[in-house]
């Protein structure tokens, strides 16, 4: 129906603007291209939770033949679909808590730095040293030198609208 | 777990497991698959969080930059007001020379006069700071370093002496200083410091103190904005006196006494040196204008503070009398052309005015542009030498092809003494005075002025061409072709400049031929950016060294840094909204015909963009600024809710209030100029006169009565003077949620600690 179509058009238009804004933040030359290495950041910041594999697939779809750059014209339609389909939905907090609890084998309520490091750098989609360092700095309690994961999850809440 | 065994799990089996465990706890040893899944979940969540943080950091950066450049548009406002004021003012109060008449002075030969008898200044025994002896030795510079680290202030006597010696030495330097790498080790090149002593000390610590082994070039903007401009510049000058062959200083656009009035250096001097402040400022004015304009290394690397234009001619630049250009903002008084490019720019960008072509009858208010045209018309009748016609109303675009020198300088139209200057039937009688008009300056001087301003104020852009830098109000935007041309013309291979803050402390452009180097870390806010410096040896290949000063010993996480910066940026942004309230509301109402108090998100973004003229991602910022209804419409008034004024004011019309909010800094400067004895008080009459002038210049429709009422509503002393600090306090935007935010942040900080 006309009204419905109008609404979805309006929605798509708003989505377009959101994507463009995020893209522009990394478009240093003001020529509608971004470095492919920034794509992950852009996709994440638009509210999506792709895995590394997902991200690689996505990049393959939008990259310009290994130039290392991505054009807005290619990025926009693909990203729009991703957003409208909610393809990479976010992780609910309780699942996150469960994940930490799985790693916390002894049920201490916290993780030691070495423990977390071991998991993050050896399991799953492993962290680089740089990522690990930043995570430890961000999450470790200064007094006790451990990671109180329940508090951490509360503290690092992301505002969904942004 | 094959399908065979898992298929049958009887209730009894489960019960037995549970009994064995004693409680309903989850499995103690999760399978590897589960562990991996958990790890992946956490990694993904964390990466997303970091990406998000990075995005916020960039938005915050954009906000700061946009507001800074928007503020610099206001700079144009202020400078033209100063010229206006100085062109039309005789002394207030008529008591001896004051800062205004000093500013009024035509370009003085700095060799003459201004010899302060600093030997007469007594230094009390209680003074424990450095006692400099000239010529300086290493023990003097060490004493200065230690003193400043200990938060001491150098005594006025030594400061004056230091400045005199610096002035003497600078006189001997050419406009363009040539260095060679054959006799020196690596040269270190630093960018803007802006009064950040910590950054300077960090550079000295990491890189070494200036010496024959460690020569330096400091590329301008030593002062303003930061709180320790005096300390920074004293150290730089001291090392310059100590090692004139190894310490090189270029002038920046902030080495300018009118910029200093607005951006903090003047204030800092007046506060730290109550008795000798004025003399000190005089000397700084001279010293700044004597700083060299450029440094060239091995004939191949050009170092200037801002940039270049398509008119830049290094040979000509080397020949000018640089000290004559005391301030880029003290525009050469010439023929009485109105603002052409600047004017048309303001016509399109005017915050307050309506479309310039619309007749002003409906609002009964002349915009500055209209007033200037009026003034220009009357003037052309009487002026003898009136050069080429203006291209004002015809040029609607702001980006034009390169123009001749005279038309590029934005300048107000000074009124001749014989015109009874009226705006809006607002009579400003003392403009009838006769003494202020001086003869037009020769075109030669204008060309010199433009060459220097281009060097100090220009910015590189990625598009070819050269067009006036209307954001800054001076200098040009220069493209890669302009760089290329200059390089070829003078056999150069690299241009190093500063002037713009960069997140990483440095940035390359124009295919690597232009480097921006910026040495003030955390320029906008804690964590906003790194600082950097360049080291270069015989090979002339630049190497970059980055750093970031951290406050205190506690290492902030990226999260905390971004939060602090973001909150500061958002506050500044909200103040912009607040000070443009009536324009914004008028625009909103145009979309909101039914007076519902709501508009759509798109409409809201559109209004903000058109009124504030800040290139920002409004939709993304929306949640921080304004509320949504349940249906997703924007309650546009909600963005003003948590802001108010500093103190309660009686009857103040919204128009007046907003103007005061917006121009608070500028008004403060003017009051400070008028307040000769730094008592913090000015007379009611001075207040009235200043205010009338200012509002006349702005074209704001405020009648005498409103100003009088305002003056009366302020607590003033029995002798009829106004405490202007108290007055201005009323126009400081206060964020009501501040206290609350501070509280919660403090709580979470102590936990994290």
């Amino acid at each position: 129906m006309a009204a419905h179509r109008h609404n979805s058009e309006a929605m798509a238009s708003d989505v377009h603007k959101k994507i463009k804004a995020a893209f522009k933040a990394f478009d240093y030359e003001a020529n509608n291209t971004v470095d492919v290495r920034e794509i992950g950041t852009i996709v994440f910041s638009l509210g999506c939770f792709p895995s590394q594999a997902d991200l690689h697939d996505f990049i393959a779809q939008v990259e310009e033949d290994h130039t290392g750059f991505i054009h807005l014209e290619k990025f926009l339609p693909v990203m729009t679909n991703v957003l409208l389909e909610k393809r990479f939905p976010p992780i609910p907090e309780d699942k996150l808590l469960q994940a930490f609890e799985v790693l916390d084998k002894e049920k201490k309520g916290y993780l030691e730095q070495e423990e977390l490091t071991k998991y993050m750098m050896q399991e799953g989609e492993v962290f680089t040293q740089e990522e690990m360092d930043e995570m430890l700095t961000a999450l470790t309690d200064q007094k006790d030198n451990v990671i109180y994961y329940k508090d951490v999850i509360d503290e690092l809440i992301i505002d969904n609208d942004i | 777990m094959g399908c065979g065994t898992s298929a049958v799990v009887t209730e009894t089996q489960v019960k037995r497991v549970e009994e064995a465990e004693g409680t309903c706890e989850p499995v103690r040893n999760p399978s590897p698959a589960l562990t991996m899944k958990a790890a992946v979940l956490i990694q993904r969540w964390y990466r997303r969080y970091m990406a998000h943080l990075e995005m916020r950091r960039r938005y915050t950066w954009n906000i700061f930059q946009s507001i800074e450049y928007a503020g610099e548009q206001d700079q144009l406002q202020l400078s033209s007001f100063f010229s206006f004021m100085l062109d039309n003012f005789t002394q207030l109060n008529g008591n001896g020379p004051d800062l205004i008449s000093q500013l009024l002075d035509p370009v003085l030969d700095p060799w003459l006069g201004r010899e302060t008898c600093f030997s007469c200044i007594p230094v009390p025994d209680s003074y424990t700071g450095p006692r400099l002896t000239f010529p300086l030795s290493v023990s003097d510079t060490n004493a200065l370093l230690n003193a400043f680290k200990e938060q001491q202030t150098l005594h006025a006597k030594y400061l004056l002496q230091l400045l005199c010696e610096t002035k003497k030495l600078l006189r001997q330097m050419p406009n363009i200083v040539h260095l060679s790498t054959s006799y020196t080790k690596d040269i270190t090149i630093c960018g803007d410091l802006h009064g950040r002593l910590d950054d300077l000390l960090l550079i000295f610590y990491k890189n070494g103190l200036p010496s024959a082994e460690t020569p330096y070039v400091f590329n301008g903007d030593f002062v303003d904005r930061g709180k320790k401009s005096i300390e920074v510049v004293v150290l730089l000058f001291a090392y310059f006196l100590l090692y004139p062959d190894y310490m090189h200083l270029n002038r920046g656009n902030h080495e300018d006494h009118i910029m200093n009035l607005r951006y903090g250096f003047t204030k800092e001097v007046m506060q730290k040196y109550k008795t000798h402040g004025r003399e000190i400022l005089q000397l700084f004015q001279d010293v700044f204008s004597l700083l060299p304009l450029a440094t060239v290394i091995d004939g191949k690397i050009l170092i200037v503070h801002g940039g270049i234009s398509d008119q830049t001619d290094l040979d000509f630049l080397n020949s000018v009398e640089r000290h004559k250009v005391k301030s880029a903002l003290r525009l050469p008084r010439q023929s009485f052309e109105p603002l052409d490019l600047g004017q048309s720019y303001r016509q399109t960008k005017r915050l307050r005015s309506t479309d310039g072509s619309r007749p002003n009858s409906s609002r009964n208010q002349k915009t500055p542009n209209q007033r200037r045209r009026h003034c220009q018309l009357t003037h052309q009748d009487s002026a003898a030498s009136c050069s080429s016609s203006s291209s004002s109303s015809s040029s609607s675009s702001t980006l034009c092809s390169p123009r001749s020198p005279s038309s590029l300088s934005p300048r107000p139209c000074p009124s001749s003494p014989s015109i009874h200057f009226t705006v809006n039937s607002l009579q400003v009688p003392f403009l009838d005075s006769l003494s202020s008009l001086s003869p037009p300056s020769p075109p030669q001087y204008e060309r010199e002025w433009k060459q220097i301003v281009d060097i100090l104020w220009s910015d590189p852009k990625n598009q070819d061409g050269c067009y006036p830098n209307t954001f800054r109000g001076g200098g040009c935007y220069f493209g890669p072709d302009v760089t290329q041309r200059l390089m070829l013309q003078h056999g150069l291979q690299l241009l190093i400049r500063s002037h713009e803050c960069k997140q990483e402390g440095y940035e390359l452009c124009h295919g690597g031929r232009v480097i921006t180097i910026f040495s003030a870390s955390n320029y906008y806010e804690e964590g906003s950016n790194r600082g950097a410096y360049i080291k270069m040896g015989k090979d002339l290949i630049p190497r970059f060294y980055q750093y970031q000063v951290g406050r205190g010993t506690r290492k902030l996480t990226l999260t905390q840094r971004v939060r602090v910066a973001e909150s500061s940026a958002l506050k500044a942004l909200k103040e912009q909204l607040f000070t443009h309230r009536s324009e914004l509301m008028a625009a909103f109402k145009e979309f909101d015909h039914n007076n519902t108090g709501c508009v759509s998100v798109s409409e809201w973004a559109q209004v903000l963009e058109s009124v504030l003229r800040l290139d920002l991602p409004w939709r993304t910022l929306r949640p921080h600024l304004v509320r949504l209804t349940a249906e997703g419409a924007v309650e546009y008034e909600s963005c003003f809710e948590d802001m108010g004024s500093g103190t309660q004011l009686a009857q103040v019309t919204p128009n007046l209030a907003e103007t005061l909010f917006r121009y608070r800094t500028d008004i403060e400067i003017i009051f400070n100029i008028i307040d000769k004895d730094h008592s913090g008080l000015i007379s009611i009459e001075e207040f009235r006169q200043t205010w009338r002038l200012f509002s006349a210049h702005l074209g704001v429709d405020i009648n005498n009565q409103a100003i009088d009422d305002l003056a009366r509503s302020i607590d003033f002393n029995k002798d009829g003077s106004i405490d202007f600090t108290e007055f201005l306090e009323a126009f400081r935007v206060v964020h009501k949620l501040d206290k609350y935010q501070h509280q919660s942040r403090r709580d979470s900080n102590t936990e994290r600690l």
Side-chain angles (χ1 to χ4, degrees), chain B residues 411-597:
Chain B
R411 71 174 81 80
C413 169
S415 61
S416 93
S418 54
I419 293 174
H420 193 65
F421 192 86
T422 55
V423 170
N424 217 14
S425 77
L426 185 75
Q427 307 275 320
V428 200
F430 50 80
L431 291 179
D432 285 330
S433 72
L434 303 168
S435 57
S436 51
L437 196 64
S438 65
S441 52
Q444 172 77 351
Y445 176 61
E446 255 206 54
R447 191 177 169 218
E448 290 179 355
W449 175 85
K450 182 179 182 334
Q451 285 280 325
I452 293 178
V453 170
D454 284 343
I455 293 285
L456 300 181
W457 284 76
S458 299
D459 290 316
K461 284 291 170 209
N462 290 319
Q463 294 85 9
D464 276 349
C466 181
Y467 40 98
N469 192 332
T470 42
F471 268 126
R472 305 254 197 192
C476 301
Y477 289 127
F478 63 99
D481 56 333
V482 178
T483 306
Q484 173 87 337
R485 209 181 310 144
L486 192 82
M487 304 274 117
L488 279 174
Q489 205 178 331
H490 294 277
L492 301 164
Q493 69 189 43
L494 182 60
L495 171 63
I496 299 179
R497 43 89 65 179
S498 304
H499 197 40
E500 283 179 295
C501 183
K502 298 293 176 191
Q503 241 177 351
E504 293 300 314
Y506 72 96
E507 192 174 273
L508 278 72
C509 64
H510 292 191
R513 282 164 173 273
V514 175
I515 298 177
T516 302
I517 186 78
F518 194 85
S519 301
S521 64
N522 305 330
Y523 180 63
Y524 292 122
E525 182 55 77
E526 172 108 18
S528 66
N529 65 288
R530 291 189 162 124
Y533 56 88
I534 297 173
K535 286 200 82 133
M536 194 179 281
K538 283 197 196 24
D539 54 8
L540 299 184
I541 296 177
R543 287 154 7 235
F544 300 95
Y545 293 81
Q546 297 168 298
Y547 54 85
Q548 198 158 11
V549 166
R551 215 180 290 163
T553 50
R554 181 167 61 100
K555 186 181 179 193
L556 287 177
T557 66
L558 184 59
T559 307
Q560 287 164 321
R561 276 184 275 139
V562 170
R563 265 219 198 111
V564 169
E566 191 185 38
S567 129
S568 178
L570 287 170
K571 238 200 266 186
L573 190 55
K574 285 174 108 172
E575 280 175 27
Q576 290 284 309
L577 266 72
F578 189 73
T579 57
H580 290 84
R581 184 179 186 152
S582 37
E583 281 164 73
L584 286 169
M585 287 301 290
F588 286 138
K589 294 259 192 280
E590 282 186 30
F591 282 110
D592 182 20
H593 300 294
N594 301 333
N595 230 4
T596 57

Side-chain angles (χ1 to χ4, degrees), chain A residues 17 26 28 125 142, chain B residues 43 55 58 619 622 752:
Chain A
K17 292 207 178 94
F26 293 86
Y28 303 123
E125 299 173 340
Q142 299 264 357
Chain B
Q43 285 155 342
M55 195 56 115
R58 276 169 215 270
R619 278 169 196 77
R622 196 229 18 97
R752 286 282 130 217

Side-chain angles (χ1 to χ4, degrees), chain B residues 239-282:
Chain B
Y239 278 109
F240 172 63
L241 288 173
L242 186 59
Y243 298 120
D245 294 329
Y246 306 120
M247 183 69 165
H248 308 279
L249 307 173
N250 283 346
R251 188 177 185 185
N253 66 308
H254 278 265
E255 275 69 58
D256 177 327
H257 65 283
I258 296 191
M259 291 295 279
N260 298 151
L261 275 169
R262 191 170 199 281
Y263 290 104
F265 183 55
T266 309
K267 196 173 180 182
E268 187 185 324
V269 172
M270 291 306 213
Q271 278 174 348
K272 288 182 181 167
Y273 295 98
K274 294 197 161 52
T275 320
H276 295 280
R278 283 176 186 271
E279 290 165 73
I280 292 172
L281 284 171
Q282 284 294 356

Side-chain angles (χ1 to χ4, degrees), chain B residues 336 375-386 414-419 437:
Chain B
F336 302 105
C375 150
Q376 210 259 328
L377 284 169
T378 41
H379 202 84
Q380 263 175 345
D381 299 338
S382 48
S385 57
C386 203
S415 61
S416 93
S418 54
I419 293 174
L437 196 64

Side-chain angles (χ1 to χ4, degrees), chain B residues 518-716:
Chain B
F518 194 85
S519 301
S521 64
N522 305 330
Y523 180 63
Y524 292 122
E525 182 55 77
E526 172 108 18
S528 66
N529 65 288
R530 291 189 162 124
Y533 56 88
I534 297 173
K535 286 200 82 133
M536 194 179 281
K538 283 197 196 24
D539 54 8
L540 299 184
I541 296 177
R543 287 154 7 235
F544 300 95
Y545 293 81
Q546 297 168 298
Y547 54 85
Q548 198 158 11
V549 166
R551 215 180 290 163
T553 50
R554 181 167 61 100
K555 186 181 179 193
L556 287 177
T557 66
L558 184 59
T559 307
Q560 287 164 321
R561 276 184 275 139
V562 170
R563 265 219 198 111
V564 169
E566 191 185 38
S567 129
S568 178
L570 287 170
K571 238 200 266 186
L573 190 55
K574 285 174 108 172
E575 280 175 27
Q576 290 284 309
L577 266 72
F578 189 73
T579 57
H580 290 84
R581 184 179 186 152
S582 37
E583 281 164 73
L584 286 169
M585 287 301 290
F588 286 138
K589 294 259 192 280
E590 282 186 30
F591 282 110
D592 182 20
H593 300 294
N594 301 333
N595 230 4
T596 57
C598 297
V599 293
S600 74
V601 175
S602 298
E603 290 165 342
W604 181 82
Q606 208 177 314
V607 166
L608 283 173
E609 217 169 276
S610 65
V611 170
L612 293 182
R613 300 254 155 210
L614 293 173
D615 188 17
L616 292 173
W618 293 110
R619 278 169 196 77
T620 314
L621 296 169
R622 196 229 18 97
H624 292 294
L625 299 173
V626 84
R627 259 205 313 268
L628 286 181
T629 61
E631 298 83 40
V634 171
E635 289 178 28
Y636 50 81
E637 271 203 272
S638 60
C639 61
F640 306 117
E641 267 171 12
D642 63 341
M643 284 184 290
S645 61
T647 55
Q648 279 307 96
L649 262 192
Q651 287 288 347
V652 182
T653 58
N655 199 6
L656 176 59
E658 246 178 67
T659 310
L660 284 165
F661 273 114
R662 207 181 298 182
Y663 295 104
R664 189 181 162 275
T665 319
D666 302 339
I667 298 171
E668 185 179 8
I669 295 169
I670 295 163
F671 281 157
N672 273 310
I673 297 177
I674 298 173
D675 176 26
K676 293 189 280 288
D677 54 5
H678 309 296
S679 56
L681 306 171
I682 57 170
S683 75
I684 296 215
E685 189 49 39
E686 285 170 334
F687 173 78
R688 274 206 205 101
Q689 285 178 356
T690 308
W691 183 248
R692 267 188 228 152
L693 248 196
F694 196 63
S695 57
H697 176 76
L698 285 179
V700 174
D701 182 11
I702 293 170
N703 62 29
N704 291 354
Q705 194 58 43
I707 295 176
D708 285 350
D709 287 343
L710 182 60
R712 244 178 278 124
S713 71
I714 301 163
D715 257 345
F716 52 90

Side-chain angles (χ1 to χ4, degrees), chain B residues 308-355:
Chain B
I308 56 176
S309 75
D310 56 350
Q311 313 264 328
T312 298
D313 179 348
L314 293 181
D315 299 317
F316 176 66
L317 194 66
N318 208 25
S319 70
V320 309
E321 291 176 77
R322 65 180 190 271
H323 68 271
K324 281 215 229 133
V325 179
K326 286 266 189 284
S327 166
L329 302 176
R330 192 70 180 100
L331 307 166
R333 228 171 300 137
Q334 213 230 10
S335 56
F336 302 105
E337 273 181 35
L339 285 157
D340 32 34
L341 196 74
Q343 180 182 5
S344 60
Y345 168 76
R346 273 215 241 120
Q347 274 176 339
T348 49
K349 275 217 167 205
R350 193 75 214 160
L351 300 179
R352 194 192 346 283
S353 73
T354 56
D355 179 8

